[in-house]
Amino acid sequence: MKTDGIIFDMDGTIWDTCVEVARTWSEEMARIGVNKTFTVEVIRSCMGMLMEDFAAKAMPEIDADKRIPYLKQCCAYENEYLAEHGGNLFHGVIQTLEKLSEKYPLFIVSNCQAGYIEAFFQGHHTEKYFKDYENPGRTGLDKAGNIRLIAQRNHLKAPVYVGDTSGDMEACKKAGVPFIYAAYGFGEVDAGDYDAKIDSFDQLCDLFIK
């Protein structure tokens, strides 16, 4: 598969932080005196959503005007935890990133809060593998907009995107970028809606390194 840059999703593609997010968010809500506990199942069902949609689905019983302020507090604590302890990387992530980065520029575009990608970099010492990254917490753009922004900013003519959900697929269609489906992740995508499929992260080497 030909490309001049590989753009990655985070959750369900590079790592799974559902356990860490559920725990840190529950701890933070208890700390600020709110009776709200998050389960891993609820967090996983929300992964990939923009923050406003994430908050609405994860906190339906909380007043709408309080969800985002609470979410921001939870995310700040989550970022601190992940930066120190890291998250659950999928099999072969570090080795694969190292190999791919020797041949291609690598990027991240995720529907996450500001500081989340930086926490991944710090927690796993991975910043050296990536040329650029973006998220709606910094730009206010949706995933398609951030994919286009990364491509434009880095003068990419033939980028590809690796993600795991139908939302990732739709963003790629909107951005005009080929979509590689990470079938081991959180979502399900029909066969006709992706350009390539991987069943483990290290299979990217089979696609891009001969």
Side-chain angles (χ1 to χ4, degrees), residues 11-65:
D11 298 303
T13 301
I14 288 177
W15 67 357
D16 178 353
T17 61
C18 293
V19 171
E20 291 82 1
V21 172
R23 181 170 66 246
T24 56
W25 286 22
S26 296
E27 289 175 358
E28 181 63 14
M29 293 295 266
R31 188 191 69 79
I32 62 179
V34 180
N35 183 24
K36 170 65 180 177
T37 300
F38 298 93
T39 66
V40 171
E41 291 72 25
V42 166
I43 295 299
R44 181 168 285 113
S45 72
C46 298
M47 284 295 188
M49 294 180 174
L50 290 169
M51 287 292 102
E52 292 79 4
D53 299 326
F54 200 131
K57 186 171 183 179
M59 308 179 186
E61 73 278 33
I62 302 293
D63 291 343
D65 62 333

Side-chain angles (χ1 to χ4, degrees), residues 2-173:
K2 294 184 178 180
T3 185
D4 61 355
I6 305 171
I7 310 172
F8 292 91
D9 173 51
M10 284 287 297
D11 298 303
T13 301
I14 288 177
W15 67 357
D16 178 353
T17 61
C18 293
V19 171
E20 291 82 1
V21 172
R23 181 170 66 246
T24 56
W25 286 22
S26 296
E27 289 175 358
E28 181 63 14
M29 293 295 266
R31 188 191 69 79
I32 62 179
V34 180
N35 183 24
K36 170 65 180 177
T37 300
F38 298 93
T39 66
V40 171
E41 291 72 25
V42 166
I43 295 299
R44 181 168 285 113
S45 72
C46 298
M47 284 295 188
M49 294 180 174
L50 290 169
M51 287 292 102
E52 292 79 4
D53 299 326
F54 200 131
K57 186 171 183 179
M59 308 179 186
E61 73 278 33
I62 302 293
D63 291 343
D65 62 333
K66 296 179 180 178
R67 290 173 187 159
I68 294 300
Y70 286 161
L71 185 67
K72 288 181 178 179
Q73 288 181 264
C74 289
C75 286
Y77 179 44
E78 169 200 342
N79 287 347
E80 290 178 11
Y81 180 91
L82 292 173
E84 182 176 355
H85 301 284
N88 178 30
L89 297 179
F90 288 112
H91 175 72
V93 164
I94 298 298
Q95 299 91 329
T96 302
L97 290 176
E98 184 174 5
K99 290 178 182 178
L100 291 174
S101 66
E102 292 174 353
K103 188 172 182 181
Y104 303 98
L106 307 182
F107 310 91
I108 293 176
V109 168
S110 174
N111 278 345
C112 61
Q113 71 271 16
Y116 186 71
I117 297 172
E118 293 90 335
F120 162 64
F121 289 159
Q122 185 173 338
H124 293 282
H125 310 290
T126 49
E127 185 172 10
K128 60 188 175 184
Y129 300 123
F130 295 92
K131 299 296 185 184
D132 200 358
Y133 63 95
E134 208 51 90
N135 60 72
R138 295 203 308 183
T139 67
L141 299 173
D142 63 9
K143 182 163 283 187
N146 280 322
I147 290 172
R148 286 194 293 262
L149 179 61
I150 285 289
Q152 292 166 1
R153 197 157 69 198
N154 293 279
H155 311 290
L156 302 178
K157 302 299 183 184
V160 299
Y161 188 86
V162 186
D164 67 304
T165 68
S166 59
D168 293 333
M169 176 270 293
E170 293 292 347
C172 287
K173 285 186 176 180

